[in-house]
Structures are given as C-alpha cells and as structure tokens.
Amino acid sequence: MTRKTVAVTGPKTVRKAPAPAGAVRVPAPGEGKRGEQGYLGYLLRQAHAAVRLTMERTLADLGVTSPQFAVLTMLNAYPGLSGADVARLTFLTPQTVGVIVRNLERDGAIVMTPHPVHGRILQWTLTPRGATLLNACRQRVLELEKRLARNLDSKAETTIRRWLAGIAKDLQGD
C-alpha cells in the first residue's frame, strides 16, 4: 500500500500544564464510568477504539489501515462482492469503500470485474498479491486477537462471541 511513514528524529519531552485548582481528573480506561460501572455501549466503543488503534499500529509498516484490512478480509471471505456489499459488511460508507478499493486496485491487491448479469455492478476479488498481503496482516491481527482472549477460557470466549454477534443481530433493525 502507499501509506507514508513519518521519520522520527528523536524523543520529545511533553510537559503537562498544571491542572487548574478544582479540575476534575479524567479517569483512565478501566476506572469509574470507563470501567465496570460504565454503560455497556460506551464500554464497547472504548474497547473498539483501543483495538482499532492497536491494529492500526500493528499494520502500519505493511502500509495497511484497519479499514483496508477489513475490506481485504471480506473480499477473501466473500469473493465477488460489490462495493455496496463491502460497505455494509465493513461498516464503512460507500464513499470510503470507493477510495479503499481504488487504492487496493491501484496497488494490485484486488481486481474488478463486471457482474455477469448486471453489467453495471462491479465485483471485487483478491489478487494473489492481495492474498499475500492479507496473510501478512492476518498473522499480526491473530496475535492481537490472542492478546484480547488471553484471560478467557474457551467457554468464556464462545460466550462473548455469541453475545457480541447476538447484539448485532438483535439491534440490526433498530
């Protein structure tokens, strides 16, 4: 991919300004409403943000973003998807998917073919280069997934997977 990396010239010292008298301390993840006392929706979003940031950092030197990884993953699982289908499956806007597929196509990771019946629909599939890139990404993401599940036994992990999938299924019509 063509994502640019920034050269680091040296350590920077970041100095915190003193907190004004009477200022409220922002809790760290896991504390207060950012912990077990928090709303489930907030906690899900907080966890998602942490996973996405870690994934972005994990994939950065491969030049792949988290949304690009999602697109590659879905095209590998369901070859021949349209851009609209990819957008729905990856929770991205059609415009974002359009940019992603153009970049992936330019880099030789995916190829577009017209739908055999509906010629105006474009279908996307991985190329061998895309499959190789996805496999490299997967190796790293699997390590992240192991880290996520490191304190879970298989029964707890299955329960959590069912719970998360059930939430999506239950709330999809809302």
Side-chain angles (χ1 to χ4, degrees):
M1 310 295 74
T2 59
R3 193 168 174 204
K4 294 182 181 179
T5 57
V6 178
V8 177
T9 56
K12 294 181 182 180
T13 303
V14 177
R15 293 189 179 137
K16 284 186 176 179
V24 176
R25 185 182 75 79
V26 175
E31 296 179 347
K33 289 292 186 183
R34 297 186 73 192
E36 294 176 18
Q37 301 160 12
Y39 294 104
L40 282 176
Y42 177 84
L43 296 174
L44 284 168
R45 182 157 170 86
Q46 176 179 247
H48 173 262
V51 169
R52 181 165 175 173
L53 179 60
T54 303
M55 188 180 298
E56 290 284 348
R57 290 175 177 161
T58 299
L59 300 176
D61 67 305
L62 294 174
V64 178
T65 65
S66 181
Q68 287 173 327
F69 173 70
V71 169
L72 290 169
T73 298
M74 289 304 147
L75 289 178
N76 184 61
Y78 310 107
L81 291 174
S82 70
D85 291 333
V86 171
R88 280 189 288 280
L89 287 173
T90 57
F91 313 108
L92 299 168
T93 66
Q95 295 83 357
T96 299
V97 168
V99 171
I100 290 171
V101 296
R102 279 193 300 278
N103 289 337
L104 291 173
E105 182 182 36
R106 181 197 63 223
D107 294 339
I110 63 173
V111 65
M112 176 268 302
T113 56
H115 189 279
V117 177
H118 306 287
R120 291 178 53 150
I121 297 175
L122 305 177
Q123 296 180 298
W124 299 97
T125 54
L126 292 182
T127 63
R129 182 181 180 339
T132 299
L133 180 61
L134 176 59
N135 285 335
C137 293
R138 266 198 195 146
Q139 296 295 319
R140 294 173 184 206
V141 172
L142 286 174
E143 289 304 312
L144 173 57
E145 292 216 349
K146 286 178 189 174
R147 184 175 169 196
L148 294 175
R150 73 176 166 227
N151 295 322
L152 302 174
D153 61 30
S154 62
K155 184 177 177 184
E157 184 177 347
T158 299
T159 300
I160 290 170
R161 287 178 181 275
R162 280 190 190 132
W163 178 69
L164 290 170
I167 289 170
K169 184 177 177 184
D170 185 50
L171 299 179
Q172 77 180 8
D174 291 357

